[in-house]
Amino acid sequence: MGPDHVVADPARLLVYESDGLTQYRQAPLAVVLPGTTDELVEVVRAVHGEGIPVVPRGAGTGLSGGALPVEGSVVVGTARLNRILALDPENRLARVQPGVVNSRLGVEARRHGLHYAPDPSSQSACTLGGNVAENSGGPHCLKYGVTSRYISGLTVVLGGGAVVELGGAARDPATGLDLVGLFVGSEGCFGIATEIEVRLLPLPGGVRTLLGIFASVEDAARAVTGIVAQGLLPAALEIMDGASIRAVEASVYAAGYPTDAGAALVVEFDGTDAGLDEDVARAVACCREAGATDVQHTDDEGQRTRLWQGRKKAFGAMGRIAPDLLVQDATVPRTRLPEVLEEIMAIGARYDLHVANVFHAGDGNLHPKILFDRSDADELARVERASREMMQVCVDAGGTITGEHGVGVDKQKYMRLVHGEEELAAMSAVGGAFDPRGLFNPGKVLPEPEPA
Amino acid sequence: MRSAPETEGVVAPGRILARAHRVLRPRTPEEVAEVLAGARAEGLGVVVMGGGRGLPPLAPERPFLVLSTAALSGVDVYEPGDLTFTAGAGTTLGDLEDRLGTEGQWLPLDPPGGRERTLGGVVASGLGGPLQAGFGAIRDQVLGVTVVTGDGRILRLGGRVMKNVAGFDLVRLFVGSAGRLGVVVSASLRVFPRPRARRVLLLEGAADGLPREELLQAARAVSTAPVVPAAAVLLRRPAEEVLVVRLTGSEPVLDADQARLEDAVGHAFRTAVHPERWMQRMAGRIGDDRAFGVRQRGLPASLPERWTAWVTAAPAATLHVDVLGGLLRAHLPPDAVDETMLRRLRGMARGDSAPVLFDSVPEGREELLERRRWGMPVGGAGSGGADGTTVLERRLQEVFDPHGTLAPTEYAR
């Protein structure tokens, strides 16, 4: 490997000091960017040989600090491992390197009438290796499921540079443990996937998008309940609240949503074209019954983009209002959403924080966004306390502390809200089976053991 | 907890029950832990049994007891609005289907054995049926499990929410672990709205005047068509070869999907008059004591080649191939399997092919497999993966069943 692909200069290391969760920063010893599996193996062997931890990194778009360097570590970036190794339309499989960007696989698959279903919001930048590490979701996983459903095999580099093949589409699923399923979502703590076998699906025959405007989040949530009760299975069901709408409309991303609205609901159906208009008609009826003030729908690609615009840009728009933005992530059983949202807004008000909500209403995955200013120490402390209370509310409702962003360093402090000591010990032991020396992304995911 | 050998309501290979020291039916996770501790103290292995259909074909060689999940049954929580439920391991798929049906929902799982299979057995086996094509594998439907590990720890893993990445995904580890790490005592799964309509399409080789090559090409065309059916299988009895496709959706969707498939296939399908009967055949059978049952995985594109090879090697076999998933199941009459046939089956698994695995053995023919050990692949590469995988699996077994109480561990490979 040439010196071009080893970064040790402090100025160039700056960009590797954090991922999408910018409140934590730590410089690594160095960053290495291998270009082949052999180089990757060599790097892991050499670094682990010195007893130095390795922190894997994809595009650094993660929101939980999964790619945050740990002190005294070497970051191994997959940016140059960006080849699509095989695309097999006959078996609807692709084999890719971990640095391939999610949407690029989508573009390549489209040439064969296929697509890769998981679509995290960062899909134009995030890598499949990162998606595997985080078990990423996206707006369309209500119907299609999350990353793990689409990963059929992995070639992984484990501690000391050992290369192991896990699974594979041709392997009998009952002849061994599901090590692929276990590795997906391990947040870089088990090893680095150097080849990823993914399943592709045929492109849907048609798509319809519907935008409903409501006076309140409760009304929008009632529409969602109606849609589910109708037995409809939309590809996406997304709600944004009034605060989010106003943030978007005040930004360069203005999508034309009414600023006095309490909530906007985006519903998308895809599949065989012949059935979509009926689905849309039933969903429109549900929206009207729940008191929608306006409902629009379209099958036109350009119009669809416009209806989605507000939802897709909510994050970016809010980033412009305040110096800092914390995007929370939790999941609750879907029917508990209205009461949980009410409590979350009450917590925000109690701590005098600006909170806006955008969420995947179909699967109960919420993303409260807290706007704040890091330089205000008091406000920062209030953000911390409010976050914990929000997590507690979600857990009390039968939910969990992260639905798609991962634990990383951000949620370790909440792990005991959802897991007992036995379960945490089991996770730790399973991590030890893959990485006995604890040299992959140490100190992430699992909390420090309780003091005896 | 009943301690007398107990066969009431249990469909299991007689050879396993006959050799079991006893059959225990714990009612709670704590009682499961007690059974495991008791077995360990007595030096007995533990075979976990749900409906008895998915048990490996031969009894363990070491002394063992059977832990039946029959008393761990019933739906604990069902929230139709959340599209989730939690039920005990011993709950049958039939009972679940009835219960979910009252709310217009269903569990799109069609493992071989169908309604008689138990939730715990299906989760532990990880093997679904051809509906996986349209709705995902079992591992994608399970949101959480409560397990008792081989060494008696009660772990509550995952939850009842659709998306959950709070820590390492141990749920996945237990789904498909076949009783090697612990006993699944209950599971939470996601359910789906029941499709408004369904249709079963047939294309028969002989009856529709299609040469085998064309039928095989039709099957391939279904698996690469721009529409994914709920399920598709190719079935064979010695005098009958038929492609069966199951569609779900509203009537206009069924019409449109059928037309697109016929376009891709180049033939018109017939609509089944008795769809239930065909859906049962699509699920396939398992745990049949009257035949040798084997299975072999392969990629969908290899179907024509594998089909021809199996028909040639075992003309007396009934065959069942998941056209979209690639799993092939064969049943051979007892008199069709001898050392020569075993050699042929081994030949089927040469090179890059997946191993051929036995699911069932006829009564009285156990000796043919006993020398090869229960559930062993009769040949083939990648029977459990490379050495690295073996090491990982061994370590994971040490984490959850350090004393080797769970009998299946000795048959793992």
Side-chain angles (χ1 to χ4, degrees), chain B residues 131-300:
Chain B
L131 276 175
Q132 295 187 126
F135 296 91
I138 290 167
R139 63 177 203 153
D140 302 311
Q141 327 280 13
V142 180
L143 307 173
V145 286
T146 297
V147 299
V148 181
T149 61
D151 59 354
R153 285 169 286 157
I154 299 168
L155 301 180
R156 292 182 173 84
L157 307 171
R160 284 199 301 116
V161 287
M162 298 285 184
K163 285 156 87 181
N164 188 349
V165 291
F168 304 142
D169 197 349
L170 303 193
V171 177
R172 292 279 171 143
L173 183 58
F174 278 89
V175 177
S177 61
R180 292 158 62 190
L181 305 176
V183 183
V184 174
V185 297
S186 73
S188 302
L189 280 80
R190 71 173 293 186
V191 300
F192 288 75
R194 221 183 166 90
R196 272 170 265 167
R198 55 133 206 265
R199 189 176 296 172
V200 173
L201 306 175
L202 305 173
L203 187 64
E204 283 184 67
D208 294 328
L210 278 190
R212 174 175 296 148
E213 291 67 36
E214 282 191 38
L215 187 66
L216 293 172
Q217 284 319 309
R220 279 296 295 137
V222 165
S223 66
T224 53
V227 47
V228 180
V233 297
L234 190 60
L235 299 174
R236 173 180 193 268
R237 284 176 186 159
E240 175 200 34
E241 293 189 348
V242 53
L243 173 64
V244 193
V245 179
R246 178 172 174 182
L247 300 177
T248 54
S250 60
E251 287 294 338
V253 168
L254 298 183
D255 290 341
D257 284 355
Q258 178 172 349
R260 287 173 92 190
L261 284 177
E262 287 176 343
D263 245 19
V265 165
H267 294 282
F269 286 101
R270 283 188 295 118
T271 306
V273 182
H274 301 289
E276 280 84 9
R277 200 180 297 164
W278 284 102
M279 276 152 44
Q280 226 164 34
R281 281 190 69 188
M282 290 181 92
R285 56 197 173 114
I286 197 173
D288 184 342
D289 280 357
R290 292 157 304 175
F292 283 96
V294 299
R295 66 171 200 268
Q296 185 185 32
R297 189 67 187 263
L299 290 175

Side-chain angles (χ1 to χ4, degrees), chain A residues 258-284:
Chain A
T259 51
D260 58 348
L265 167 67
V266 178
V267 187
E268 190 154 283
F269 292 98
D270 68 10
T272 300
D273 204 71
L276 296 179
D277 289 331
E278 190 195 337
D279 287 351
V280 167
R282 287 154 64 120
V284 167

